């Protein structure tokens, strides 16, 4: 079991590369760029997808992706993940063939169909899903925003990256980053699956927009409270309303815009503002 | 022919929706969210992909996507685009079957393969590609940053959106926005294809990161100068270097970080700084 919190390791070798650029005066500038590499994910013998990733937790990414796509189901048991860093391959093995493999093994599909199919599969998995009765407190949101903004990260080191953070109460548990925001949230999902952690008592914080895909992934993970420093899209909001998910956008330590599910928010007793009396002099 | 510049129409009906959220004090807040809807793109009778889009230029998005994926080739002639707004379908028609249809029509592919395949196809199209001898001037970058930052847009109206801007010299020609940055650049590509506009004298400005996909798309469009207010990823940079593309990141009116291709930059004569003499008093 990994020690918590599991935080970004911006200085780890292989995640960033020092490059030499040029500024507007022609002077050389040292900067760091994020490395990205392809990872091809297999479910047993079936090739599923090739994702571009920073490559820090390929096992969690593979499991989380399959879980969030509904290709791994609660009843499936993962027996291991075989990694080949040179080939950029992660093979997730289960003790018996998954329903996904059985269903798709014989089908013929044309190029390009998969993106739409994946989306359809994800929506199908939401039917009948009920989110837990989670709440979020004012003081938690404030503390989490502060912690996340100041935690050393690839974002602070090099920019051009998305982050997703799994929190409980006012504590950061797992902070994942990746070049695509989907990978970051999938890695969090993979961690939850491996650790057997439920979503009911969690808050999911993301640096990216609150799109339909982000809302669907959070719902698949059983998380009812989703927070972003960014805004929501209309489909993200519509889905969140249908699911009864609390969606907080434009989140900063002292402000937010709650798009849906405000009933899940506990403002707590706030310190009374100082009474100021102006006495005519 | 559309009048230029072709700019965002943030007030157009259907692009944003007024919603009522709640702020941290519990007070209602009016805000706008971006609409997004699925668009399924066909190449003649072959279904290619379903993209989530704001829906403002489905014909340009369909053509540009197919063009940037190499599924439409320079020798193909588009005879029309059939749109069905209710079904969310765009059918791009050519005068004869494309090479893509002939090659893929009989193949069997498994679910999920398409994303990797699409990426492979795009890289293949870059072999032997030579970018034009374009240059960019200091004054152009300054003028473009200012114009783009102040042009009324969905970004300024509602946030949570990406923009891609096609420019020539210091002038904005076509400014497209979409929920995915790929759609925005694909719409620009669709416009270029329809208008028969070459990339040689153009600058592509994007609000998003300079990823490998963005660099590949720019190269497919024949554009050698790519600018972003964001940073580059390592694969974006590596590809740009291989292609001889000039990549300007972190662009603001008075600053940038040139990642590659600085030889394409003309600093122009800058006004000499005022000579200041300090006279001991």
């Amino acid at each position: 079991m990994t020690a918590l919190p599991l935080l970004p390791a911006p200085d780890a070798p292989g995640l960033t590369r020092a490059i030499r650029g040029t500024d507007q005066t022609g002077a050389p500038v040292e900067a760091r760029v994020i490395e990205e590499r392809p990872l091809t994910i297999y479910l047993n013998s079936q090739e599923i997808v090739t994702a571009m990733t920073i490559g820090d937790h390929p096992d969690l990414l593979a499991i989380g992706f399959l879980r969030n796509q509904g290709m791994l189901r609660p009843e499936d048991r993962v027996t291991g993940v075989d990694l080949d860093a040179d080939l950029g391959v992660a093979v997730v093995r289960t003790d018996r063939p998954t329903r996904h493999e059985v269903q798709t093994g014989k089908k013929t599909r044309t190029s390009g169909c998969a993106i739409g199919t994946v989306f359809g599969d994800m929506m199908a998995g939401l039917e009948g899903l009920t989110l837990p009765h989670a709440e979020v407190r004012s003081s938690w949101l404030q503390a989490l925003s502060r912690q996340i903004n100041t935690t050393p990260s690839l974002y602070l080191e090099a920019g051009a990256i998305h982050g997703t953070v799994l929190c409980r109460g006012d504590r950061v548990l797992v902070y994942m980053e990746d070049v695509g925001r989907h990978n970051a949230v999938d890695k969090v999902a993979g961690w939850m699956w491996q650790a057997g952690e439920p979503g009911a008592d969690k808050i999911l914080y993301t640096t990216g927009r609150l799109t339909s895909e982000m809302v669907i992934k959070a719902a698949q993970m059983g998380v009812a409270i989703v927070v972003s420093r960014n805004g929501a899209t209309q489909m993200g909001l519509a889905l969140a309303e249908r699911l009864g998910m609390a969606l907080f956008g434009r989140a900063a330590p002292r402000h937010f815009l709650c798009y849906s599910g405000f009933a899940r928010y506990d403002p707590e007793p706030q310190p009374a503002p100082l009474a100021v009396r102006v006495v005519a002099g």
Side-chain angles (χ1 to χ4, degrees), chain A:
Chain A
M1 194 67 200
T2 330
L4 294 183
L6 184 52
L7 298 178
D11 299 328
L15 293 186
T16 63
R17 175 177 297 186
I19 60 114
R20 175 165 267 218
T22 314
D23 77 4
Q24 64 284 348
T25 70
V29 182
E30 296 278 346
R32 299 196 78 80
V33 292
I34 306 288
E35 294 269 9
E36 48 183 341
R37 42 182 69 84
L39 179 73
T40 302
I41 298 172
Y42 286 76
L43 178 54
N44 296 310
S45 61
Q46 194 175 76
E47 181 179 337
I48 302 294
V49 75
T50 297
M52 295 303 301
T53 172
I54 61 173
D56 58 347
H57 296 285
D59 51 338
L60 300 182
L61 175 56
I63 291 174
F65 176 85
L66 295 173
R67 181 70 194 104
N68 276 340
Q69 297 293 339
M71 295 173 182
L72 275 180
R73 304 170 68 86
E75 64 270 21
D76 291 322
R77 207 170 66 81
V78 171
T79 53
V81 183
D82 297 341
L83 297 173
D84 187 320
D86 291 338
L87 293 178
V89 166
V91 184
V92 176
R93 304 214 180 270
T94 56
D95 56 351
R96 54 198 164 85
T98 59
R99 195 200 295 189
H100 175 76
E101 291 163 273
V102 173
Q103 283 182 344
T104 60
K106 290 171 198 136
K107 279 195 200 159
T108 303
R109 306 197 183 210
T110 55
S111 170
C113 65
I115 303 171
T117 305
V118 163
F119 191 77
D121 288 350
M122 290 172 72
M123 291 296 292
L126 295 182
E127 298 303 325
L129 186 145
T130 311
L131 287 175
H133 288 290
E135 281 201 346
V136 58
R137 295 190 192 154
S138 159
S139 57
W140 298 353
L141 287 180
Q142 289 178 31
L144 293 173
S145 269
R146 284 207 189 84
Q147 273 180 70
I148 293 165
N149 289 346
T150 56
T151 296
S153 63
L154 287 167
Y155 176 75
L156 293 178
E157 175 80 14
I161 200 156
H162 287 284
T164 299
V165 190
L166 185 72
C167 316
R168 179 167 50 214
D170 62 356
R171 297 188 50 188
V172 166
L173 300 181
V174 174
Y175 181 165
M176 293 287 179
E177 296 183 287
D178 213 304
V179 283
R181 67 175 178 278
H182 301 150
N183 291 347
V185 67
D186 284 344
K187 285 191 278 194
V188 169
W191 180 86
M192 288 173 72
W193 169 279
Q194 279 214 323
E197 279 280 348
D201 57 349
K202 305 295 190 303
I203 299 164
L204 202 63
Y205 179 103
T206 171
T207 60
R209 292 170 294 157
L210 299 166
T211 60
S212 48
E213 281 170 306
M214 187 57 64
V215 168
I216 290 170
K217 283 181 191 279
Q220 300 277 20
M221 294 154 72
V223 177
I225 316 277
V226 180
V227 183
S228 171
R229 62 172 73 135
N230 226 303
T233 66
Q234 177 264 322
M235 276 194 63
L237 169 55
L239 267 170
E241 281 177 336
R242 207 172 92 188
L243 291 162
M245 180 182 285
L247 218 54
F248 296 87
R250 306 185 192 171
R254 300 201 161 274
H255 303 96
F256 62 71
L257 168 60
C258 179
Y259 289 98
S260 67
F262 190 70
R264 292 180 181 275
Y265 178 70
D266 175 0
E268 302 179 299
Q270 298 288 320
L274 286 178
V276 175
R277 256 195 321 165
V278 178
V279 181

